[in-house]
Amino acid sequence: MDMSAGERKGLSLFALIMIGIGSIFGSGWLFGAGSAAQVAGPAALVAWVIGVAFIGLIAMSYAEVGSAYPIPGGMARYGHLSHGPVLGFLTGWAVWIATASLVPIESIAATQYMTSWSFGWAKGLVDPATHQLTLSGTAMSLLLTLALWLTCFWSVQLLARANTVLTLVKFAIPVLAVLALVGSGFHTSNFTAHGGFAPYGWPAVLTAVTTCGVVFAFNGFQAVVNLGGAAKHPGRAIPVALVGALALGLVIYLALQAAYLGAVPPELLARSGGWQGVNLNSPFADLAGLLMLHWVVTMLQFGAFISPAGSNIANVASAAYMVTNLAETGFFPRKLAAVHPRYGTARPAMWLNLGFSVVLLLTVGRSWQALAGVVSAAMVISYLIGPIAVGVLRRTRPELPRPFRLPAAGVLCPVTFAFAACALYWSKWPETGKITVLTLVAAPVAALVLWRRGERRLLRQFAPAWWMIAFLVWTAAVSALGGEEFGGRDVLPGVLGTALIAVTAPLFYFWAVRSGVKAHERGLTSAPSLAEAGSSTPAAATDDARPMASV
C-alpha cells in the first residue's frame, strides 16, 4: 500500500482524532482507576497528571519527527533514520512488542468484565482467589482476540469508519459512569481516611504511573503517530490530533479516578483495611453492583466490549505497520510486507501479530494487571528514540521541512529522555529486567541478519547502538539494587535509585545524540536499507528526500 504523498488513503483530521481518543479509551479506563487506587490510594489522581505530562512530552517529540517523516508505522523506523540499521532494529523491535501486546490485553480486559454477568459460566472465567484467568477465561480471551483482529482484516478505510462510530458510542459510557457514581453518594472522607491522601507514600504514586495502566492508557497517542502518515495533511494533523486526544483523555481519566475514590463505600474500605485491600475483578462494574446501580452495570458490561474493540482497531493496524516497516529495513522477512491487492492491508504481518498475541495469552497473560505492567515497561522503552531522534535530526538535517517544531527542544529533549528513564525504573524489578532481556534479544538477531547479508564490519554497524545496550543494562542493574518500594534489594533505598537514574540519563542522551551524528557522518543512515539493497526497485521518496515507506 503506497503511502507516498500523492497516493494517501486520506484519513481526515477528525478521523485521526477519533483514532487517538478511541485508543486512549481502551481497557485502561476499565481497570486503571481501580488498580491505581489500590497502589497509591487517593494520590492516584496525581499519577494521572504525571502520566499525561510524561506522555505529552514524548508525544510532542514524536510529533516533530512524525510530521517530518510521515511514514505509517513510523515509530518502528525513526531509530533507523537517526542512527542506522542496528539501532533501528532494536527500537523497532521494542515498538513492535509494545504495540502488538496491546491486542491480547484488550481481550483480557473484556473477559474479566464478563465475570460481572449473572451467568454461571461467566463467573468461572476468573479465579476469585488469584484474580487470574481460568482455562475457560483464557479460551474466551483467545476467541475475543480473533474476533477483534478480524475487524481490521479488510481495509484502512473500514478501520476509520468503524473506529469513529465505536469511539462516539464508547465515549459516552465513562461519562455516564462518572455521573452515576457521583450521584449515588460521594464520600469525601475517603480522600483522607486510612492513611491520608498518600497512604503508601509518593514512591507508590510513581509506581502507579507505569504499573497500573496510566502510561498504558495514554499510550493511545502512538496510534496517531503510526497512522498519521495516512492523513491528508500529516504535518498539521498529527500534532493537533495528539493535543486534542491527550487533553480530553486527562479530563475523563481524572473524573473517573475521582468518582471511583469517592464512590467506594466507607464500610468496604474499612473492612478491607485500606485501599490496598480493595481488589475488584471488574472495578467499576463491581462497584456499581454494590451501589445497586444495575443499569450502570449493564452499561459497563456493554462498554467492556466496545472500549477494547475500538482500541484494537487501531492496535491491529499499528502493529501491522510495525512489522511491515521492519520488513522494509530487511530485519523481518520481506514477505511479511506483502499487501493484499484489493483490500490494501498487510495480511502476512497481521497473521504474525495474531500468533504473537496467542503466545502472550498462553504464557504471561493471566490477568489484565499482570500483563499491563510488562506492556507498560515495553512502551517506555519504545518511547526512548523520540526525543533522541529530534536531537540528532536537528543537527544532521537542519534543512528538513518540519511542519511542527518542538519548542525549546535543546532543554525538553534531554528532560523527556530522563523522564522516560525514570519511568522505566518505576516499572519495578523484575519487570525492568524481563523487558531488558526481551529487547536485547534483538541484538544478536541483528548481527546474524547483517552477517548473512554480507556485512563483515559488525562493530562499525553496532557503534551507534552501544548507548542503547549500555543504558538498558544500567537501568536494569539500578532497578535490581533499588528500593524495596520499586521491587529492588534496597541497596539504593528511597529516592536514591530514582535520583541516580535521573542524573545519569542526560549522559546517555548526549551519548546517543553524538552517536547518531557520527552515524550520519559515516553514511550508515543514508545507505539503502538491507531489503532495498537487494532490490532493483528504489524506495519511494518525496521531493525533499524524505523516505516514504511502501507498506
Side-chain angles (χ1 to χ4, degrees), residues 245-518:
L246 288 175
L248 186 57
L250 175 61
V251 171
I252 300 301
Y253 275 112
L254 284 176
L256 284 164
Q257 186 68 70
Y260 180 87
L261 291 167
V264 171
E267 56 272 19
L268 172 62
L269 194 57
R271 188 167 62 250
S272 302
W275 290 103
Q276 286 186 342
V278 181
N279 190 4
L280 305 175
N281 281 332
S282 310
F284 281 106
D286 290 348
L287 183 57
L290 290 173
L291 299 175
M292 305 300 289
L293 299 172
H294 299 299
W295 69 272
V296 176
V297 174
T298 302
M299 180 184 67
L300 289 169
Q301 290 170 344
F302 176 70
F305 283 96
I306 293 297
S307 294
S311 293
N312 261 356
I313 287 177
N315 293 338
V316 172
S318 294
Y321 277 134
M322 300 303 174
V323 174
T324 54
N325 271 287
L326 290 173
E328 290 286 341
T329 60
F331 287 100
F332 273 14
R334 181 73 174 182
K335 293 181 179 180
L336 292 176
V339 174
H340 193 279
R342 178 180 177 185
Y343 297 112
T345 53
R347 290 189 170 181
M350 294 178 68
W351 280 110
L352 174 65
N353 292 328
L354 178 62
F356 181 70
S357 298
V358 171
V359 170
L360 279 181
L361 278 170
L362 296 179
T363 53
V364 298
R366 306 306 301 169
S367 70
W368 185 92
Q369 290 81 357
L371 192 53
V374 177
V375 172
S376 295
M379 290 174 181
V380 172
I381 291 179
S382 74
Y383 298 155
L384 296 174
I385 196 60
I388 291 172
V390 172
V392 172
L393 295 174
R394 285 280 185 98
R395 298 188 183 188
T396 59
R397 296 294 307 277
E399 79 290 351
L400 185 70
R402 291 172 170 83
F404 172 79
R405 291 181 66 90
L406 178 68
V411 174
L412 288 181
C413 284
V415 168
T416 302
F417 182 85
F419 207 153
C422 290
L424 181 59
Y425 174 76
W426 299 335
S427 298
K428 300 180 67 172
W429 182 266
E431 278 71 19
T432 50
K434 293 177 182 177
I435 201 61
T436 294
V437 172
L438 190 58
T439 302
L440 293 183
V441 163
V445 175
L448 178 61
V449 172
L450 288 168
W451 186 268
R452 293 185 63 183
R453 296 279 180 173
E455 177 60 59
R456 295 297 181 263
R457 296 175 296 176
L458 292 181
L459 290 179
R460 179 175 181 268
Q461 294 288 338
F462 268 79
W466 287 124
W467 71 266
M468 178 73 160
I469 297 172
F471 169 78
L472 291 177
V473 172
W474 166 252
T475 304
V478 175
S479 178
L481 299 174
E484 291 181 347
E485 62 271 33
F486 295 114
R489 298 183 179 181
D490 214 32
V491 176
L492 299 169
V495 299
L496 289 180
T498 298
L500 186 57
I501 292 294
V503 169
T504 56
L507 301 179
F508 283 102
Y509 170 82
F510 290 112
W511 179 9
V513 171
R514 184 181 180 186
S515 296
V517 172
K518 287 187 175 181

